[in-house]
Amino acid sequence: MSLDPQRRGTDAPPDPRLRAFADVVEPEIEVLLRVGRSLTGSDTDAEDLVQETMIRAFGAIDRFDGRHPRAWLLTILRRTHLNMHRRQRPSTVGDWEVLHHARPAFGGAHAPSAEDRALAEDLDPALRTAMAALDERFRAVVVLVDVHDLSYADAAAVLDVPVGTIMSRLSRARTRLRAALAADSSRPGKETR
């Protein structure tokens, strides 16, 4: 059965969900893919995540109130990612410090995340070093807002924190980045531009 209203018989009214899906979901696919890459660290996993997100969004489109479509979709994306991730790992650790200092089992290495790969390719070495030194919570906000150009509300939806927390973390992260860059530029033997 085709979902295309042009291919159905002329006497069948078009499904309003198709129009709503085209208006609300389709314009946000690129943003969903960018954020999906940040969450998964892989293009193929991001595509799978976005596909599952779109399926869930289509199923819920008739209940969507029409306000803040990007935040609505990013919330679905985040929850879908958590559900998919939960199925892969039997247990999770909620303490950021434990995760930050965890060592891989049996001598394995951590694959670089999509954030780390993007930072390595696009940033000045001093800024890359300063970003790597940030706590993961602060780095995630900088990447979502300053690299992916998400609004505070959209970043809050992705990270499941209040908008005020996003603003606070971003302010602190930028302050720490400025301080690290100032310290790096004042080192002896360092050229200033």
Side-chain angles (χ1 to χ4, degrees):
M1 177 178 167
S2 173
L3 294 177
D4 185 1
Q6 301 297 330
R7 294 188 184 200
R8 291 193 279 170
T10 56
D11 42 331
D15 188 345
R17 294 180 305 165
L18 293 175
R19 180 86 246 139
F21 188 83
D23 292 342
V24 172
V25 177
E26 289 179 7
E28 302 297 336
I29 290 174
E30 287 303 315
V31 171
L32 292 172
L33 283 168
R34 281 196 324 257
V35 174
R37 282 185 203 103
S38 291
L39 291 172
T40 64
S42 160
D43 289 341
T44 55
D45 289 343
E47 290 170 2
D48 291 344
L49 176 60
V50 170
Q51 181 177 355
E52 186 65 28
T53 299
M54 293 175 66
I55 290 168
R56 291 177 186 208
F58 185 77
I61 195 80
D62 55 344
R63 296 185 305 270
F64 177 57
D65 64 7
R67 295 185 347 239
H68 312 292
R70 183 174 288 175
W72 177 68
L73 289 166
L74 289 172
T75 300
I76 294 172
L77 180 87
R78 179 183 46 79
R79 289 181 179 159
T80 302
H81 177 256
L82 289 173
N83 287 338
M84 292 171 80
H85 190 64
R86 188 176 297 128
R87 284 185 228 134
Q88 293 173 354
R89 292 191 341 183
S91 64
T92 59
V93 177
D95 184 3
W96 288 87
E97 291 302 315
V98 171
L99 290 175
H100 183 67
H101 297 297
R103 300 274 187 240
F106 306 110
H110 289 293
S113 70
E115 288 175 7
D116 293 336
R117 285 196 315 267
L119 294 175
E121 295 169 4
D122 297 335
L123 296 181
D124 176 75
L127 183 55
R128 185 178 328 127
T129 301
M131 284 288 290
L134 285 177
D135 180 273
E136 186 176 338
R137 294 173 290 179
F138 297 119
R139 187 172 53 243
V141 173
V142 170
V143 168
L144 290 173
V145 174
D146 290 340
V147 176
H148 293 307
D149 294 323
L150 293 184
S151 69
Y152 294 155
D154 294 340
V158 171
L159 298 175
D160 195 26
V161 297
V163 172
T165 301
I166 294 295
M167 295 167 65
S168 172
R169 287 181 184 174
L170 188 60
S171 175
R172 284 190 248 158
R174 288 174 177 167
T175 299
R176 291 175 185 176
L177 288 172
R178 279 191 293 273
L181 292 173
D184 184 64
S185 67
S186 66
R187 281 195 342 229
K190 192 73 171 172
E191 292 181 23
T192 57
R193 295 182 186 183

